[in-house]
Amino acid sequence: MKETYQLVSIKDGKQDMEDILLILKKIAAGSIRNDLKLLNYYQEVPVSYPAKIDKIDGDCVEVTVQPAQSAVLGLQKQTLLRSAAFPSGLGVHCFVEYVNVKNCFAVLGRFAYASIRAERRGAVRVNVDGLYPVSFMSDEQELCGNLQDISLTGIGMISSQLVPAGLAANGTLRLNLQNRTLSLPAEYIKTVTRDGQQIHAFSIMPDQQADKLIAQFIYSRQVEIIRNLKDQSL
């Protein structure tokens, strides 16, 4: 979740939380429009549904949520709130103090304003399930691994291989998707280390046929992820 938002202070932590609670009280009372939604990113897929405020007790807000949202709250123990009533286009980050996944009920607390970085992404991205070998060739140098995540404009490769010295930025990225081998013009962007593995990021430029294939894969993966979340709430 930390990669998807950045905390923002308007006044100070205490005053900001009081202001957020006041807005939520007005939504609960019906004095301002209830457009409140919860937002989580699960395996890179945005999970966002309306929430109903049932009660506000002190610094805690009790809400009824949708089944998929309930499941992801149980897993991540935090969420983001979105409403036009929050100032300057900001969202709100909060922690899940309690959640009953089966009954779709949660208690939220420790509120702070947040800038939601993930909303600035140019394309929907999904994590993949299973092994999808990926290779990047550039000037006879090769970087190999497995697909970590994919969007219409970029790919993340997880690998134990370090970036070869002098690797040229532009090259060709090859992967097999839905029983089709794709060769995509690509540009190496950066590498980050996570849990002892290298995550290599590339931008890609698919042609019309590859774009359609990738879009179908992303959509089917999104449906699968949301279905799995709903199943966890049963």
Side-chain angles (χ1 to χ4, degrees):
M1 281 282 291
K2 287 185 178 179
E3 296 178 359
T4 65
Y5 71 92
Q6 180 179 7
L7 294 181
V8 175
S9 179
I10 294 180
K11 297 175 183 176
D12 60 63
K14 184 176 183 297
Q15 187 60 55
D16 284 353
M17 186 167 73
E18 290 178 359
D19 292 346
I20 292 166
L21 286 167
L22 180 59
I23 292 171
L24 295 176
K25 286 175 182 177
K26 288 180 179 179
I27 291 175
S31 58
I32 59 176
R33 184 169 66 93
N34 182 9
D35 63 348
L36 185 68
K37 287 186 176 182
L38 272 58
L39 170 64
N40 291 78
Y41 286 85
Y42 179 70
Q43 297 187 25
E44 301 292 351
V45 174
V47 181
S48 183
Y49 294 96
K52 176 180 176 293
I53 299 175
D54 298 315
K55 180 181 177 183
I56 299 179
D57 185 5
D59 295 341
C60 291
V61 177
E62 301 177 11
V63 292
T64 298
V65 297
Q66 296 292 324
Q69 200 86 53
S70 178
V72 78
L73 293 183
L75 293 168
Q76 296 184 340
K77 310 301 183 187
Q78 55 186 309
T79 190
L80 296 162
L81 309 182
R82 297 296 280 131
S83 170
F86 298 137
S88 305
L90 292 172
V92 167
H93 175 266
C94 61
F95 289 94
V96 179
E97 309 291 2
Y98 171 80
V99 60
N100 186 314
V101 174
K102 184 175 182 180
N103 292 326
C104 300
F105 171 79
V107 178
L108 309 177
R110 293 177 279 169
F111 301 91
Y113 287 117
S115 172
I116 304 176
R117 294 169 173 169
E119 290 187 333
R120 298 195 291 269
R121 292 174 181 169
V124 175
R125 186 169 67 192
V126 294
N127 281 357
V128 302
D129 185 28
L131 296 179
Y132 293 82
V134 181
S135 65
F136 175 73
M137 291 287 297
S138 181
D139 292 346
E140 298 184 356
Q141 291 181 310
E142 187 173 19
L143 185 57
C144 297
N146 288 300
L147 192 62
Q148 167 81 4
D149 56 68
I150 186 170
S151 74
L152 289 174
T153 59
I155 276 175
M157 174 202 296
I158 185 167
S159 175
S160 59
Q161 183 184 354
L162 298 175
V163 177
L167 179 74
N170 294 305
T172 301
L173 192 144
R174 293 185 175 87
L175 76 155
N176 189 284
L177 210 60
Q178 300 189 137
N179 298 317
R180 293 279 302 278
T181 299
L182 301 179
S183 294
L184 308 170
E187 180 181 0
Y188 168 73
I189 303 298
K190 65 178 181 179
T191 295
V192 297
T193 301
R194 187 181 304 159
D195 299 327
Q197 294 273 19
Q198 311 298 310
I199 309 295
H200 307 300
F202 302 87
S203 65
I204 57 173
M205 291 150 279
D207 59 22
Q208 185 175 0
Q209 188 174 14
D211 187 274
K212 182 178 179 181
L213 189 69
I214 294 170
Q216 290 172 342
F217 177 84
I218 290 172
Y219 176 75
S220 63
R221 181 69 181 135
Q222 285 181 294
V223 170
E224 179 185 12
I225 288 169
I226 297 299
R227 184 188 300 120
N228 288 341
L229 280 173
K230 289 180 178 179
D231 289 344
Q232 290 181 48
S233 68
L234 299 177

